[in-house]
Amino acid sequence: HVHVHVHVHGGPTQGGVTASTGAVARTHSTSLSPSSLSSAASAEVETAVVTGGEDDPRVLDVAAFRNGCINPEMIVARAEEKNAAVDKSEAALNGMKTGALYIGPVIAAGTYLQNSDPMMAASNYALFGFGVGALLAGNSLLGKSVHIPTLPEAKNRIIVDYSEGLLRQQDIGVVALSEDDQFEPCGGVMGAVDIQLRNSPNSRPGVRQIANYPSHLHIKNMSVEEGQRGKGVGTALMQCIEKYAKESTDAEMLTLEVRQDNPTAVRLYLKCGFMERENPQKMRVGNMFMVKELS
């Protein structure tokens, strides 16, 4: 499923793209062909191919970008600030209320419905209601009402949520980069997209295979930071993908799915030479399947 937004700055240059395990290859992008240019695509956008894996720092950068440009250090710092702002006495009282007014009655009611024994129900109310309430209150008084993750926990959480395919090297990443301080928390990433080499002898383990289809690069998870859209970044990312496909893979075509109610994305893909095709597999309702043949 592909969501497209578009963004950038500068003046046109061209360059090549190569990639090796754990490395980032960069290129300055202009256009795929005169027919694929939008008016914004004449600006310079720096792009990079991210090969992924545990040793590739761009895996975390992509995850932080997709997390709203919030990196693990920021996650930990925000949790610490939130915890420090908690009124410990009020939090402790709320903890007791949660146990006595919510958890205890539910446990007691369940016990009575199961055994019809009011004494056992009262006993379980006291045990669980006041017990859990006391535990919550104690944690609040000790300043533990807000969970503060460790830095490794925060890193793992956002990578699993946003770039696990890159970590496992089932996906290859393509990113657009900026030197703006706004993107410093995510290593300068202002746009990102994942690609998968499918139906190829060189496809990575676990990658989906499509019956009766040639080797192809499938494009997914495309996004550009909201303030950077409409500046040619989407075109630059597509250029980088096509260049990588031709120079570093045996792909015969590029494929993607896009929502029909996303006209900006559809226009971008049409300008880049994609055509609508019948999807070789079941796709989501409202999606369009598009293909570009690689010469």
Side-chain angles (χ1 to χ4, degrees):
H1 184 67
V2 178
H3 301 281
V4 161
H5 327 288
V6 220
H7 128 203
V8 64
H9 59 75
T13 60
Q14 291 182 323
V17 164
T18 58
S20 58
T21 303
V24 174
R26 297 185 176 185
T27 180
H28 291 286
S29 303
T30 51
S31 64
L32 296 170
S33 66
S35 63
S36 70
L37 273 173
S38 68
S39 59
S42 60
E44 177 185 301
V45 185
E46 183 180 9
T47 56
V49 174
V50 182
T51 57
E54 294 184 358
D55 298 326
D56 191 337
R58 285 291 185 203
V59 173
L60 183 58
D61 291 340
V62 170
F65 165 71
R66 290 173 172 162
N67 191 41
C69 214
I70 299 172
N71 62 26
E73 290 81 4
M74 295 168 69
I75 292 173
V76 173
R78 291 183 181 191
E80 290 174 339
E81 291 174 3
K82 185 176 180 180
N83 189 60
V86 171
D87 184 320
K88 294 180 181 179
S89 297
E90 183 178 355
L93 180 60
N94 288 335
M96 288 299 300
K97 287 180 178 178
T98 298
L101 300 179
Y102 300 103
I103 297 175
V106 170
I107 297 294
T111 302
Y112 184 77
L113 289 173
Q114 184 176 11
N115 301 297
S116 300
D117 185 339
M119 293 301 295
M120 183 179 293
S123 176
N124 282 346
Y125 170 82
L127 177 64
F128 290 98
F130 290 111
V132 172
L135 181 62
L136 293 173
N139 279 337
S140 296
L141 290 173
L142 292 173
K144 298 180 180 179
S145 57
V146 175
H147 174 65
I148 302 174
T150 64
L151 193 57
E153 286 175 340
K155 288 180 179 179
N156 181 69
R157 188 175 81 187
I158 65 170
I159 286 175
V160 167
D161 286 347
Y162 297 110
S163 60
E164 187 174 17
L166 291 175
L167 178 68
R168 296 165 61 187
Q169 293 190 300
Q170 289 186 339
D171 296 340
I172 300 161
V174 177
V175 295
L177 301 170
S178 171
E179 296 181 358
D180 193 303
D181 291 343
Q182 170 187 354
F183 303 105
E184 189 277 332
C186 49
V189 175
M190 62 177 179
V193 58
D194 297 331
I195 53 178
Q196 276 190 351
L197 180 62
R198 298 177 174 178
N199 289 35
S200 166
N202 301 317
S203 293
R204 299 182 182 190
V207 168
R208 180 183 299 176
Q209 302 296 306
I210 310 300
N212 303 315
Y213 232 61
S215 174
H216 61 282
L217 269 184
H218 186 71
I219 302 166
K220 59 180 185 172
N221 303 328
M222 192 173 197
S223 61
V224 173
E225 195 276 330
E226 184 175 3
Q228 303 299 323
R229 298 171 192 171
K231 301 179 181 179
V233 177
T235 299
L237 289 170
M238 297 304 293
Q239 286 181 241
C240 187
I241 291 170
E242 182 168 340
K243 204 169 189 67
Y244 174 80
K246 290 180 177 179
E247 297 183 358
S248 303
T249 79
D250 62 351
E252 297 179 26
M253 61 177 63
L254 305 176
T255 66
L256 57 86
E257 284 185 38
V258 60
R259 288 200 60 83
Q260 292 173 325
D261 60 3
N262 188 347
T264 301
V266 173
R267 283 196 301 269
L268 170 66
Y269 296 136
L270 289 173
K271 287 178 181 178
C272 289
F274 283 78
M275 302 293 290
E276 184 177 4
R277 293 274 185 87
E278 181 179 354
N279 198 326
Q281 58 184 349
K282 184 178 180 180
M283 65 179 177
R284 299 178 181 89
V285 175
N287 279 12
M288 179 187 299
F289 185 73
M290 303 186 78
V291 171
K292 179 172 183 177
E293 302 280 351
L294 297 176
S295 55

